[in-house]
Amino acid sequence: MKLAVANLALFLFGVFIPCLKITPHLGDGGAFDFVGHIAFGENFQVKELSIFQGIIEFIKGGDYFLAIVLCAFTLFFPAYKMYLTMAYHYSKNSPKETYEKILKISKYSMLDIFVIGLIVLAFKNIPGGTTASIGLGAIFFASNIFLTKYILHKISREISSSQ
């Protein structure tokens, strides 16, 4: 149960703490950053986004499909998987049945971290010196995924030893 609580905390930190930091620059080493400040004003600031803020930004920008996809793979699937891992211990149903549901939904765990990695990679290749880096939220979120994998491993061993 302690692992489940730690896992939930990692998940919440991962969703609400910034996972991506974008630092805009114009020219090598930011030589023309003053032009960016004049031309773009507040939009030419360092921007830190959490997964939750990213979903909100997609909704505000009218990118509903991306918001739904990100919401499904970063909020729904991991939360449902954590629920199932907790339900495994308290369920009156077959533990093996619950475990099989967990395995089905586990296929989608790392997709969101992959998306964040692609965003960082895309920003690293933008001309003008704009940089992107992974924030603490991504580390918490990835830790949540790995802890969930560990919990699943423990459940798998319990199931195989009970047969």
Side-chain angles (χ1 to χ4, degrees), residues 119-163:
I119 292 169
V120 169
L121 183 63
F123 273 100
K124 291 207 180 279
N125 293 321
I126 290 178
T130 295
T131 59
S133 59
I134 297 291
L136 193 56
I139 294 167
F140 280 122
F141 201 83
S143 298
N144 161 259
I145 291 168
F146 290 123
L147 183 55
T148 302
K149 293 278 186 198
Y150 175 72
I151 292 169
L152 290 177
H153 176 72
K154 286 181 69 168
I155 291 172
S156 171
R157 291 181 78 185
E158 284 179 25
I159 286 178
S160 64
S161 69
S162 69
Q163 291 179 350

Side-chain angles (χ1 to χ4, degrees), residues 95-113:
K96 188 170 182 168
E97 189 178 302
T98 303
Y99 179 68
E100 288 172 5
K101 286 181 186 177
I102 294 169
L103 289 179
K104 284 180 184 176
I105 202 149
S106 292
K107 296 176 185 177
Y108 308 104
S109 293
M110 291 297 284
L111 184 63
D112 44 350
I113 297 300

Side-chain angles (χ1 to χ4, degrees), residues 6-40:
N7 205 25
L8 180 61
L10 286 171
F11 175 73
L12 292 173
F13 287 144
V15 168
F16 292 106
I17 291 177
C19 64
L20 182 65
K21 180 179 179 181
I22 302 168
T23 308
H25 290 295
L26 288 177
D28 289 336
F32 299 103
D33 282 358
F34 68 93
V35 175
H37 288 290
I38 293 169
F40 302 108

Side-chain angles (χ1 to χ4, degrees), residues 28-50:
D28 289 336
F32 299 103
D33 282 358
F34 68 93
V35 175
H37 288 290
I38 293 169
F40 302 108
E42 288 188 25
N43 291 328
F44 197 77
Q45 301 293 325
V46 173
K47 190 167 204 164
E48 292 185 306
L49 289 172
S50 68

